[in-house]
Amino acid sequence: MSFDRKRKLKICKNTFCESHGVGSIVRSRSGRTRGRVFAVVATDADPKGNLYAFVSDGCTRPLTHPKRKSAAHLETLVPGNGRMPFSADEEICKALAVFDRD
């Protein structure tokens, strides 16, 4: 999947959904963080029904200050099991290092 800033989102069959939930490893598909890998810390829905995920990478985005990202802008790499497998930022950094190929 190309992450060229001038192009619109490509259709992806592995988009994030609520069933993947907390503990998932996701890749950002749009915005300033395009192409970066995150771990989902929590999910939320607004009154209109839009799904949002709170994501953290452990380094620039610690568990104490996760980023709120629209679920439509995330691609699931590894589905979660509904509970948070990470308890510290260092664990998230180590887990996401496998997926970062920058």
Side-chain angles (χ1 to χ4, degrees):
M1 184 167 167
S2 174
F3 294 105
D4 184 15
R5 287 195 181 269
K6 296 177 184 174
R7 294 181 179 242
K8 292 185 178 182
L9 287 176
K10 289 190 173 183
I11 302 300
C12 179
K13 55 185 169 184
N14 294 335
T15 57
F16 182 79
C17 67
E18 192 171 5
S19 65
H20 293 150
V22 177
S24 299
I25 306 295
V26 295
R27 175 176 285 135
S28 175
R29 295 176 53 210
S30 68
R32 187 178 302 182
T33 60
R34 178 182 288 162
R36 292 189 47 203
V37 180
F38 296 98
V40 177
V41 177
T43 57
D44 187 27
D46 65 1
K48 294 181 181 177
N50 298 327
L51 181 64
Y52 292 95
F54 291 90
V55 296
S56 172
D57 66 357
C59 300
T60 58
R61 280 288 179 174
L63 283 170
T64 55
H65 298 290
K67 179 172 181 56
R68 181 178 184 238
K69 192 98 170 129
S70 173
H73 298 159
L74 297 174
E75 171 189 2
T76 301
L77 301 176
V78 178
N81 56 3
R83 56 189 162 91
M84 187 62 178
F86 309 109
S87 59
D89 293 329
E90 294 80 22
E91 293 177 11
I92 295 176
C93 284
K94 287 180 184 177
L96 299 182
V98 175
F99 297 97
D100 282 333
R101 295 184 180 144
D102 298 8

